[in-house]
């Protein structure tokens, strides 16, 4: 069974440009999460989808970030326009909605975003 | 708000020595506790988790952790380090009142010396 995949693995863009990150969860997982790790800091929650609906987007830093999950399958995270402080590693995770907070989240390898 | 503290951003041990990675949490409600490991160029992989029941939890690759409520700790141990254990380790918590989001510590990079 394929794990969580993320594309691209690396992205280098200039300040002001737009970048779109993609996440493909494990097949059949209704829950999809985005997290971000800024260099030297902890991994922080961004948002949570249940199927195509945003369950919790309280971690999104500002309105330059837009996440979508059309059809409840893959998800995209767009940053527009990108700022220097958006640099970091963006992780996607998915889980089956069996027990909620005790569920195991399966993580992708991350997308390393560098904004110059 | 809940937070997670991992004492020591870098820990170095000799092969065959005890591994001890520390994690303390603060939470106003009973948390669920997780340890994840990240090997180079891979995603985070669950080592073990505590939800309810027995406070000593055994995970993969010979790791275990003990939930100590009185000390608000969930330290990760392994009796004998192997070279393949070199990775970054993350402690995380979740709780029912915050949905299923994970709150992570800053991570501990484990180096195993031959």
């Amino acid at each position: 069974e394929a794990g969580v995949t993320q594309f691209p693995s690396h992205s280098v863009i200039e300040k002001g440009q737009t970048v779109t990150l993609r996440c493909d969860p494990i097949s059949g997982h209704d829950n999809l999460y985005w997290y971000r790790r800024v260099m030297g800091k902890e991994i922080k929650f961004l948002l949570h989808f249940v199927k195509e609906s945003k369950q919790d987007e309280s971690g999104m830093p500002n309105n330059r970030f837009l996440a979508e999950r059309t059809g409840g399958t893959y998800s995209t995270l767009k940053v527009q326009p990108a700022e220097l402080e958006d640099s970091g590693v963006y992780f996607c995770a998915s889980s089956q909605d069996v027990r909620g907070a005790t569920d195991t989240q399966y993580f992708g390898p991350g997308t390393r975003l560098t904004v110059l | 708000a809940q937070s997670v503290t991992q004492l020591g951003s870098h820990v170095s041990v000799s092969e065959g020595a005890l591994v001890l990675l520390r994690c303390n949490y603060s939470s106003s409600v009973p948390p669920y506790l997780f340890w994840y490991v990240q090997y180079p160029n891979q995603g985070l992989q669950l080592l073990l988790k505590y939800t309810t029941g027995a406070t000593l939890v055994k995970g993969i690759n010979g790791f275990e952790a003990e939930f100590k409520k009185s000390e608000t700790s969930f330290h990760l141990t392994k009796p004998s380090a192997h070279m393949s254990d070199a990775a970054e380790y993350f402690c995380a918590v979740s709780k029912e009142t915050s949905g299923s989001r994970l709150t992570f510590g800053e991570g501990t990079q484990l180096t195993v010396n031959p």
Side-chain angles (χ1 to χ4, degrees), chain A residues 31 33 35 37 40-45 48 56 58-59 91 99-110, chain B residues 32 34 36 38 41-46 49 51 88 90 94-96 98-107:
Chain A
N31 293 279
Y33 306 82
Y35 294 85
R37 188 184 194 192
K41 298 293 186 182
E42 72 272 26
I43 300 169
K44 284 192 172 180
F45 168 83
H48 170 206
D56 179 358
S58 61
F91 292 101
R99 292 173 292 277
T102 62
D103 265 1
T104 296
Q105 294 182 26
Y106 297 86
F107 282 77
Chain B
Y32 303 120
F34 304 77
Y36 279 86
Q38 185 182 24
N41 301 315
Q42 295 186 29
L44 280 71
Q45 178 183 0
L46 181 71
K49 65 180 178 182
T51 55
E88 190 161 20
F90 297 92
S94 69
K95 57 183 182 179
E96 295 290 355
S98 297
S100 48
R101 71 163 81 176
L102 293 170
T103 299
F104 284 89
E106 293 193 358

Side-chain angles (χ1 to χ4, degrees), chain B residues 70-92:
Chain B
S70 61
E71 299 177 6
T72 61
S73 68
F74 192 55
H75 302 330
L76 182 71
T77 60
K78 182 174 180 177
S80 177
H82 192 271
M83 297 296 290
S84 60
D85 294 328
E88 190 161 20
Y89 293 78
F90 297 92
C91 181

Side-chain angles (χ1 to χ4, degrees), chain A residues 20-57:
Chain A
T20 300
L21 313 181
R22 173 172 170 143
C23 168
D24 287 78
I26 293 173
S27 178
H29 281 192
D30 288 338
N31 293 279
L32 188 148
Y33 306 82
W34 283 98
Y35 294 85
R36 177 175 73 173
R37 188 184 194 192
V38 173
M39 188 185 303
K41 298 293 186 182
E42 72 272 26
I43 300 169
K44 284 192 172 180
F45 168 83
L46 295 179
L47 88 159
H48 170 206
F49 283 99
V50 177
K51 297 183 180 179
E52 67 273 13
S53 299
K54 293 177 184 175
Q55 180 76 15
D56 179 358
E57 53 183 329

